[in-house]
Amino acid sequence: MKPFSFIRKFPKNSKWILEFTQGPHSAHLFQVKKTLVHKKTPFQTVDIVELFRYGKTLFLDERLQISQADEFLYHESIVHPALLTHPNPQKVLIIGGADGGTAYQTLKHKSIEKLFLVDIDAQLIKLCQKFLPEINRGVFKNPKLKVMPADGRKFLSETREKFDVVISDLTAPLLEPPSYLLFTEEFYRIVYDKLDKQGIFSLQADGANHINNKTFAAIHKTVGKVFPIVKGLRVFIPSYDDCWGFIIASKKYDPTLLEPTEIKTRMEKRGLKGLKFYDEKIHQSLFVLPKAIQTAIAKQKRVIKDNKPLVSFE
């Protein structure tokens, strides 16, 4: 038997992407089948590639955002638990979400009359529209969708619109582009003010496993300073190799109190079909957080502020 070695030769002429995860001391290594896009926009470096296992995959500044093979786990989790908690969502805002997957899932709800998508990077939106049709499925041509390349915080601060649901589909809190300012108590108060009296806020909230949970717990704590009802949920996403956390915050409705029969009724009424992951049975299980995560949330004292921001990999 040959002795184990940490050194392995890569196949000749092969291309690989090294993505650091959970800090600088661990990484994923993906072999690239085909490069579709490599472009520097005014805000970030965009790579859209085909991976052997995950299909078309979007990387921003060398960090994986979404893959064709398992995007439905992310997009169905950030959209449907929140929208089904609201009894009749008609006007929705997505902040971020340039790949179009969240918009596609949102417009599966027949109750939606207007959907706004605000992302700071106009070039990224165009690249995703062209090269990731398997994820956005032509949603950018839907007349209910209005796309606005703009700073999400500035747009929300200045708009006179009121929304039933706001979905924050952002990257991790980063300095460039400045997404960290959309993870602070001040920003969450802006969101609260722009929601109607039954309003619901859904956001991605970073990794949520037994080791990697500090960001999730800090975001949960911060959202809880603004909203009376805050519930964390998580789902394992293979391309992330992690359990990913989401948070639903509400002015009035608790998503964990929804009965399966009511969820099924609302899904049928809104014409929800073709979901690969979410249904009335999976809903409650998403909100069952292991003890380590519950403890991290309970012990968390940090409230994220504009002048004391949380920055990924800080």
Side-chain angles (χ1 to χ4, degrees):
M1 181 181 294
K2 293 182 179 180
F4 180 81
S5 174
F6 286 101
I7 300 173
R8 178 184 174 186
K9 292 183 179 179
F10 295 145
K12 290 183 179 180
N13 301 319
S14 63
K15 295 181 180 180
W16 297 75
I17 288 179
L18 181 69
E19 180 209 15
F20 284 96
T21 58
Q22 302 176 25
H25 306 298
S26 63
H28 289 147
L29 193 61
F30 300 97
Q31 186 176 5
V32 177
K33 184 177 182 180
K34 183 179 181 181
T35 298
L36 301 174
V37 176
H38 175 72
K39 184 177 180 63
K40 178 77 173 178
T41 77
F43 299 98
Q44 55 208 330
T45 299
V46 179
D47 287 281
I48 301 177
V49 300
E50 282 191 36
L51 300 179
F52 281 88
R53 194 169 189 181
Y54 296 109
K56 290 184 179 180
T57 305
L58 171 66
F59 289 84
L60 297 179
D61 291 329
E62 301 181 345
R63 299 183 69 177
L64 192 153
Q65 302 299 311
I66 210 72
S67 81
Q68 180 183 349
D70 58 11
E71 56 84 17
F72 65 93
L73 293 168
Y74 178 99
H75 290 129
E76 291 185 19
S77 297
I78 200 172
V79 171
H80 300 306
L83 262 65
L84 287 164
T85 298
H86 195 289
N88 187 33
Q90 297 179 25
K91 190 185 296 184
V92 177
L93 168 66
I94 299 170
I95 301 174
D99 59 77
T102 294
Y104 171 73
Q105 293 294 337
T106 298
L107 287 175
K108 283 190 172 186
H109 292 252
K110 290 182 178 180
S111 64
I112 304 301
E113 296 177 356
K114 293 182 180 180
L115 174 60
F116 299 80
L117 189 152
V118 178
D119 192 287
I120 198 170
D121 197 335
Q123 290 186 30
L124 175 61
I125 296 171
K126 291 180 179 179
L127 290 170
C128 290
Q129 185 173 356
K130 181 178 180 180
F131 291 100
L132 294 176
E134 296 86 356
I135 292 177
N136 56 65
R137 299 171 178 89
V139 73
F140 291 104
K141 296 179 181 179
N142 193 307
K144 292 183 179 180
L145 176 62
K146 183 176 182 179
V147 178
M148 290 164 288
D151 179 282
R153 179 161 172 165
K154 186 173 186 293
F155 168 83
L156 202 55
S157 297
E158 296 176 354
T159 185
R160 295 181 179 180
E161 299 278 358
K162 286 279 190 175
F163 302 97
D164 300 309
V165 179
V166 172
I167 301 174
S168 176
D169 182 10
L170 296 164
T171 62
L174 302 171
L175 289 174
E176 293 295 337
S179 57
Y180 73 97
L181 287 174
L182 284 80
F183 288 86
T184 67
E185 180 183 352
E186 290 88 344
F187 174 68
Y188 296 146
R189 293 197 181 280
I190 296 171
V191 173
Y192 186 95
D193 289 341
K194 299 300 180 177
L195 287 166
D196 71 9
K197 61 183 179 181
Q198 300 183 103
I200 292 173
F201 181 36
S202 177
L203 63 155
Q204 80 82 13
D206 212 83
N209 64 47
H210 288 72
I211 299 172
N212 177 32
N213 56 47
K214 291 183 179 179
T215 297
F216 178 78
I219 294 172
H220 194 289
K221 175 72 173 182
T222 305
V223 175
K225 295 289 289 184
V226 179
F227 287 83
I229 300 170
V230 180
K231 299 294 179 180
L233 59 145
R234 66 177 201 154
V235 60
F236 181 78
I237 300 177
S239 59
Y240 295 2
D241 195 23
D242 201 352
C243 287
W244 209 251
F246 302 88
I247 291 171
I248 293 179
S250 174
K251 292 185 175 183
K252 185 175 181 180
Y253 300 108
D254 187 334
T256 65
L257 300 181
L258 266 182
E259 294 291 338
T261 53
E262 178 60 24
I263 294 173
K264 187 175 181 179
T265 298
R266 292 184 183 187
M267 291 180 70
E268 291 173 352
K269 184 177 180 180
R270 297 182 197 176
L272 277 182
K273 297 178 181 179
L275 302 187
K276 296 182 178 180
F277 171 66
Y278 178 85
D279 63 16
E280 73 277 5
K281 298 177 182 177
I282 203 73
H283 179 91
Q284 289 292 346
S285 68
L286 293 174
F287 294 92
V288 180
L289 302 178
K291 290 183 178 180
I293 307 297
Q294 295 180 42
T295 300
I297 293 171
K299 290 184 176 181
Q300 181 61 243
K301 296 182 180 180
R302 180 175 186 176
V303 175
I304 309 167
K305 297 277 193 177
D306 282 355
N307 61 357
K308 292 183 178 179
L310 183 152
V311 179
S312 187
F313 295 167
E314 64 181 354

